[in-house]
Amino acid sequence: MAEHLVFTLCATLAANGDLAGHERRGTLTWPGRSAILGLLAAARGIRREDAAGLAALDALQTAVAIHDAGQPLRDYHTVQTVPSAAVKHPDSRAEALRRAGRAVNTTLTQRDYRTGVLYAVAVWGLDMAPFRDALLRPVFTLYLGRKSCPLSVPPAPRLVQADDPMTALAAAQMPAFRDAPQAQVIYSDMALPGARVERRNDVALDRQRWHFSSRAVHVLHPQGAA
């Protein structure tokens, strides 16, 4: 048996990351590895520029069960951009806009979200007690993907001894205020009997430059799930 940290992520709005450019940022139906490790890093007070602190989390393995993937929501923004040919080396955006005058461009951007999500998460591979304590008293505010996506309820972390992530995920404490349907899909770093393998581009290499690499994810649809 191995020690697992299990907790729940419940939010009115979630943004789970996907391939993204300047004008469009999509979302998966579940929080990937970088999202889970980023949330644990925030709880422990590890900043994005702390490469050594973040690298210490690489030994962790994760599994996520989707109990409610929510509904898709797309938000649109209009953004003014300043062509580099119009203003050279401004000290701030305010200065760039002032110096550009009417020589600005307007861009329509898209941001995708999921509404009403509920996930169970299992993490293992290190001494998990400090991570449990951090989720109980996080240093930074916890949110699910973007700062506009706070958690609807504390994550209720707990330590469990389990042979596999599926057993650990079953011990997650669901919020009392909403229904918790059976897990529809489980995404795991560890191979699971009957699971298929997908590739996901969610291993953070450099959080400052937003560089990621891919990994194998084991995807299982529990028996009886829709």
Side-chain angles (χ1 to χ4, degrees), residues 118-136:
L118 177 61
Y119 309 107
V121 180
V123 185
W124 66 99
L126 292 172
D127 178 7
M128 301 311 302
F131 293 95
R132 176 204 55 191
D133 297 343
L135 289 179
L136 290 171

Side-chain angles (χ1 to χ4, degrees), residues 21-99:
H22 173 67
E23 296 182 2
R24 180 178 180 182
R25 294 185 180 177
T27 177
L28 302 174
T29 57
W30 58 286
R33 176 179 173 83
S34 61
I36 299 301
L37 297 192
L39 184 133
L40 292 174
R44 298 198 65 175
I46 302 172
R47 297 180 180 275
R48 284 182 177 177
E49 59 270 23
D50 183 358
L54 294 172
L57 306 182
D58 288 344
L60 294 172
Q61 297 191 71
T62 67
V64 176
I66 299 179
H67 288 269
D68 190 341
Q71 298 296 318
L73 173 70
R74 177 162 294 169
D75 192 19
Y76 294 92
H77 301 257
T78 53
V79 180
Q80 279 191 323
T81 61
V82 179
S84 57
V87 179
K88 302 292 185 184
H89 310 298
D91 290 332
S92 65
R93 174 171 171 78
E95 180 188 352
L97 290 171
R98 179 181 60 77
R99 289 169 53 188

Side-chain angles (χ1 to χ4, degrees), residues 156-174:
R158 58 195 308 191
L159 298 178
V160 300
Q161 298 293 327
D163 290 327
D164 56 70
M166 288 187 63
T167 305
L169 288 167
Q173 182 177 335
M174 294 294 158

